[in-house]
Amino acid sequence: MLKTFAAVVAGTLLLLALTPAHALDNGLALTPPMGWNSWNSFHCDVSAKLVEATADAMVSSGMRAAGYVYVNIDDCWLLKKRGRNGGLVPDPKKFPHGIEAVAAYLHRKGLKLGIYESAGTTTCAGYPGSIGHERQDAAQFARWGVDYLKYDNCGGYEGETYLRRYTAMRDALAHSGRRIVYSLCEWGNKEPWSWAQPVGNLWRTTQDITPRWRTDQPANGYPQGILDILDQQAKLSTASRPGAWNDPDMLEVGNGYLSDEENKAHFSLWALLNAPLIAGNDLRSMSQDVRDILTNREVIAVDQDWGGRQGYRVSDDGNTQVWAKPMSDGSVAVILLNERRGPVNIATTAQAIGLKKAGSYGVRDLWKHTDSVSAGRIEATVGTHAVAMFRIRVRS
Ligand code: GLA
């Protein structure tokens, strides 16, 4: 009897801890986080030198001024064995002065540090994972001055459910004494958009991104091109809210063989999706074109506008798509996407994207930075694998 009662109480407490009414309320990521992560360009080749030079480039390129703030170290920053006290040990060859010194370097520049761990026995590259060590590791991150944790899904799960594995680290971070953005990297396996709002500030919605337009993989294939991932976001637009974001994975802008137009399309679409804008290219050597894309403030403003909704797909004819996002000032951001070879004319109307009937509309081109007026038709000739992106408002 007592046992049954205890089980009911425990079950109720678990439910309470997981219901959206108890949404993660850490006051962080009220707009989608912006920054950089080492994985897409450097994989295991991380070091204090790389992180600090990236921070310098973030400042000198104008990215910091445009809103990028997190500099995130991904996998492989640590030794293959925990230390004598059971703590994680930064690889002294890669981080000769420890993680604390890197955090201090970033903080002096007005930037923040992110780190990576896994909700399993190992990270994806085979380093010690955090399962069973959540309290100790979270406390360690807090002592080092870490501001952001990407929490992966590799290693053994020791019989624990995904909910327990991810909530254990949420609770450990809450207990750590430091405000740390909590980024779930569960790859969309268990539909985190349906349960992760009270658990993390953002959750990966797909398998890993790769710098290709499309990979022709089935929906859950690995890896995913830009358009493969986009297809999987269409059904998720109502799941995000301030402090809780869908994460279609880090940016590949400037990576691989993506063309200038593909880079612009990728950046525009991620902004319309309210995605975290976490650059994944080598900031130290990026071209002027890539820099201009990453610092396009009119596109960034669409991403950072949380008063409206995440963008949603208005139409898709198999070759072209229209996406729209209601902005908090009453305007609507719209993307006309050509998935294939162009040029092709793509058109929609102000009413189709949710604006009220009016005599005329102001049309701001977010890439050409020009203004025009329309009676209601919104159209553009869009080239190969490209987008046109506008912000439309009622004029009269
Ligand atoms: C997984 C994640 C990637 C990256 C690697 C690191 O694949 O999804 O984003 O963090 O692990 O090993």
Side-chain angles (χ1 to χ4, degrees):
M1 179 69 186
L2 207 61
K3 251 191 176 162
T4 319
F5 179 70
V8 169
V9 171
T12 312
L13 286 179
L14 181 69
L15 254 177
L16 277 176
L18 298 175
T19 45
H22 291 247
L24 180 65
D25 191 15
N26 63 3
L28 296 169
L30 296 180
T31 61
M34 293 176 65
W36 174 89
N37 174 293
S38 52
W39 185 255
N40 285 353
S41 284
F42 299 96
H43 299 103
C44 275
D45 200 7
V46 290
S47 66
K49 224 170 135 192
L50 170 69
V51 174
E52 292 177 5
T54 297
D56 295 348
M58 202 178 257
V59 176
S60 63
S61 64
M63 284 178 71
R64 182 183 67 179
Y68 294 83
V69 63
Y70 294 100
V71 182
N72 296 350
I73 310 168
D74 209 278
D75 207 347
C76 312
W77 58 270
L78 63 177
L79 285 182
K80 286 264 161 93
K81 277 208 158 63
R82 286 179 176 268
R84 240 175 292 135
N85 61 0
L88 297 167
V89 185
D91 184 333
K93 287 208 191 84
K94 296 172 177 170
F95 296 91
H97 306 292
I99 299 297
E100 210 165 356
V102 178
Y105 186 92
L106 297 182
H107 293 156
R108 278 199 297 278
K109 289 186 175 283
L111 297 171
K112 292 177 185 290
L113 174 67
I115 210 157
Y116 163 99
E117 248 300 350
S118 183
T121 49
T122 65
T123 73
C124 295
Y127 294 85
S130 281
I131 195 166
H133 297 265
E134 292 88 351
R135 281 284 179 111
Q136 181 175 20
D137 293 351
Q140 182 71 78
F141 297 149
R143 276 198 300 279
W144 284 340
V146 167
D147 305 292
Y148 184 118
L149 172 67
K150 172 176 168 182
Y151 204 44
D152 214 339
N153 200 20
C154 274
Y157 300 161
E158 310 214 302
E160 297 286 3
T161 64
Y162 63 94
L163 270 179
R164 279 191 186 278
R165 291 185 294 115
Y166 282 96
T167 52
M169 184 53 91
R170 170 196 66 182
D171 297 341
L173 291 174
H175 192 256
S176 74
R178 192 170 171 88
R179 296 171 78 215
I180 298 178
V181 172
Y182 186 30
S183 157
L184 274 54
C185 180
E186 176 269 2
W187 315 318
N189 284 359
K190 301 275 184 194
E191 306 194 341
W193 47 89
S194 67
W195 54 265
Q197 292 85 352
V199 182
N201 294 113
L202 53 151
W203 52 85
R204 276 273 296 278
T205 58
T206 67
Q207 303 299 310
D208 288 10
I209 195 169
T210 196
R212 288 174 57 186
W213 187 241
R214 212 190 249 299
T215 62
D216 298 320
Q217 299 276 339
N220 284 322
Y222 177 93
Q224 305 280 301
I226 309 303
L227 289 192
D228 307 306
I229 289 186
L230 183 69
D231 285 344
Q232 297 166 63
Q233 307 313 303
K235 61 177 192 286
L236 309 181
S237 57
T238 56
S240 64
R241 61 181 82 139
W245 306 105
N246 287 308
D247 174 6
D249 208 353
M250 306 170 293
L251 296 168
E252 292 282 19
V253 173
N255 287 343
Y257 296 101
L258 291 178
S259 70
D260 199 42
E261 290 304 320
E262 289 171 338
N263 281 329
K264 280 187 195 165
H266 174 26
F267 194 66
S268 304
L269 289 160
W270 263 231
L272 197 101
L273 291 169
N274 281 58
L277 297 180
I278 306 291
N281 58 316
D282 186 346
L283 303 190
R284 303 165 309 174
S285 60
M286 68 183 152
S287 67
Q288 182 75 38
D289 287 347
V290 168
R291 194 188 91 164
D292 289 348
I293 293 170
L294 290 172
T295 55
N296 182 331
R297 286 175 189 242
E298 294 198 76
V299 174
I300 292 172
V302 173
D303 180 77
Q304 296 291 298
D305 181 293
W306 53 267
R309 285 168 51 196
Q310 178 178 321
Y312 63 96
R313 187 150 67 187
V314 177
S315 64
D316 176 10
D317 69 8
N319 296 313
T320 66
Q321 300 182 26
V322 176
W323 286 74
K325 171 181 161 155
M327 301 286 285
S328 55
D329 67 354
S331 64
V332 173
V334 59
I335 289 179
L336 310 176
L337 163 68
N338 178 12
E339 295 183 41
R340 311 205 181 263
R341 303 218 150 261
V344 61
N345 191 266
I346 308 177
T348 186
T349 65
Q351 279 176 277
I353 60 168
L355 283 163
K356 67 171 195 217
K357 203 167 167 45
S360 71
Y361 300 88
V363 178
R364 175 75 178 168
D365 186 316
L366 303 190
W367 285 106
K368 292 188 181 141
H369 308 295
T370 54
D371 290 298
S372 59
V373 174
S374 163
R377 200 170 157 81
I378 297 146
E379 66 184 319
T381 302
V382 185
T384 301
H385 297 179
V387 296
M389 187 174 192
F390 304 107
R391 190 159 165 183
I392 320 290
R393 66 185 77 240
V394 170
R395 232 171 130 248
S396 60

